[in-house]
Amino acid sequence: MTIFDWCRHCGNHGPMTEEHLPPRVAGNQSPITVYNEQEGALTVLRSFKAGHTIPSLCRADNNKASHRGLPEAYALWRDDTIGHLREAAAAFHHDSGQPHNDLFFIAAREGGAFKLPMEHGTKLRSEHITNLNPGKIVRQALGMMLAVQDTRYLLDTSQLAAAYHSDEPTSIEPFALHLALANPGLCYFRNGVLSVSVNLTGAGVSSTEFWGVAFPPFLILLTSGPKAPIEATRIDRWLEYPVSRAFSKRDRKVRYPIADPRELLVAKLYQDQQRLKEMGG
C-alpha cells in the first residue's frame, strides 16, 4: 500500500490522514476488502474495518470538507438519487418481470443510453422537497477525484484545486465533470486514461484524457475537454452555484443516463467486478 506524503488538495508535504472515499455519511461505513489480481491469482490488497479510506489528505484539508458541509450534501444527493432509482427499478420489475437490479443493464435504446428523469429533493422520504446544494455536491465530487490521484498532474497543471476550495461561482474549463448512473462496485482510476475516437467516414482521430471514480450509484468522469467517453450528464456547471445556494426550480429537474453496459469502459468495469466475485468464491 502506497503511503502518500503530499496532500492531494493543497500539495503540502507531511503526514497524511485517512480520507473516507466515498464519504462515511454516504454509506461508506461497513467492512470492505480490496483485492488485486496478479497472474490469475487474487490477493488481498487491503482490508478496511469501517469503510474504504485512502491516506491522501493532510489533517487540515480532511477536516475542511466536513466544515463546509460537502460530504453531507453529497450524501443527501446520493440518497435522493437512490430513491429515484428504487422507484424506477420497481416500475421496471413490474413491467418486465426482470430483477430490480437489471435496470442497470437495460438495453440502450436507438440513439443512446436510457435516461432516468429526476427532480432533485423529491425522494428523501419527506412530504416536502428537500433543498440540495449543487455547489457543495460538485465540489465534493471534484475533491474525491483529486484525492485518488497517484501524481501531481491535476493538482499542479490545472485550476481544479482552486475551484474545489472556492465557495463562490467558478469554473474548471477546459475540464468538465460528467455523471452517469452505474453499479460496478467501488473503483477508481489513479491516473488519466486516454479515450480515442476514429472517424470511419472520414480522416481524423480525436482523443480525450479522462479520470474516473465509481462510487455507486454514480460513475463520475473528469475530462480534459467538454466531451465524455460515454453518454453522461455534465455537472461541472453546478460550480456556478455558490455553496450557500440550493438548486433553482429550473435546475432541480435533470436526466441522468444509466451507463450503457455495451460501452467499452462500462463493460470493463462490470467485467472486473464479476471476475473479482468469481475469484473470491
Side-chain angles (χ1 to χ4, degrees):
M1 179 67 184
T2 301
I3 302 299
F4 302 133
D5 63 352
W6 55 275
C7 179
R8 267 50 182 172
H9 284 177
C10 70
N12 290 340
H13 287 263
M16 297 296 105
T17 60
E18 295 282 348
E19 164 75 352
H20 273 81
L21 290 175
R24 191 199 309 261
V25 294
N28 183 22
Q29 303 176 13
S30 303
I32 184 173
T33 300
V34 177
Y35 296 93
N36 187 34
E37 182 185 351
Q38 293 181 338
E39 299 179 354
L42 196 63
T43 59
V44 174
L45 189 62
R46 192 179 178 195
S47 293
F48 305 88
K49 293 183 178 180
H52 171 267
T53 64
I54 185 169
S56 61
L57 300 184
C58 66
R59 186 171 301 279
D61 277 298
N62 202 338
N63 292 333
K64 282 179 183 176
S66 294
H67 292 159
R68 297 168 71 198
L70 305 190
E72 292 76 13
Y74 175 90
L76 276 177
W77 176 52
R78 175 182 178 272
D79 290 346
D80 185 47
T81 303
I82 288 175
H84 283 89
L85 277 168
R86 283 175 175 164
E87 185 176 86
F92 170 74
H93 171 70
H94 179 270
D95 293 340
S96 68
Q98 299 180 47
H100 291 67
N101 197 53
D102 281 2
L103 178 69
F104 285 106
F105 302 94
I106 190 170
R109 300 174 301 175
E110 184 178 353
F114 175 79
K115 293 184 178 179
L116 181 67
M118 296 175 49
E119 183 174 8
H120 282 309
T122 59
K123 298 300 176 185
L124 286 166
R125 300 178 182 177
S126 172
E127 296 181 1
H128 307 286
I129 290 178
T130 302
N131 287 330
L132 301 181
N133 298 88
K136 292 182 179 180
I137 293 167
V138 70
R139 285 166 174 81
Q140 175 65 29
L142 184 57
M144 294 191 300
M145 193 73 66
L146 290 170
V148 302
Q149 297 304 305
D150 260 353
T151 73
R152 298 181 65 104
Y153 176 75
L154 289 179
L155 185 71
D156 292 345
T157 63
S158 70
Q159 73 279 36
L160 298 178
Y164 167 75
H165 288 292
S166 173
D167 287 342
E168 300 303 320
T170 186
S171 170
I172 58 172
E173 291 184 353
F175 289 86
L177 205 60
H178 310 265
L179 176 89
L181 301 175
N183 190 29
L186 187 153
C187 54
Y188 46 84
F189 301 130
R190 290 183 169 180
N191 294 283
V193 180
L194 197 63
S195 172
V196 179
S197 298
V198 180
N199 187 345
L200 298 179
T201 61
V205 176
S206 61
S207 62
T208 300
E209 192 173 18
F210 71 92
W211 298 259
V213 294
F215 297 145
F218 302 126
L219 174 56
I220 304 171
L221 302 170
L222 174 73
T223 57
S224 58
K227 188 176 180 180
I230 63 171
E231 190 166 355
T233 295
R234 190 168 170 179
I235 63 172
D236 59 284
R237 295 187 178 93
W238 293 353
L239 287 164
E240 297 173 2
Y241 281 86
V243 296
S244 58
R245 278 190 55 197
F247 271 115
S248 67
K249 185 176 182 179
R250 179 195 64 186
D251 290 343
R252 277 204 312 263
K253 295 185 177 180
V254 66
R255 296 168 69 89
Y256 291 146
I258 293 180
D260 187 347
R262 297 175 302 183
E263 293 274 6
L264 182 61
L265 168 64
V266 182
K268 180 66 167 60
L269 294 176
Y270 280 117
Q271 287 169 3
D272 287 349
Q273 179 194 43
Q274 183 61 33
R275 185 161 57 248
L276 287 174
K277 287 182 178 179
E278 292 172 354
M279 296 177 69

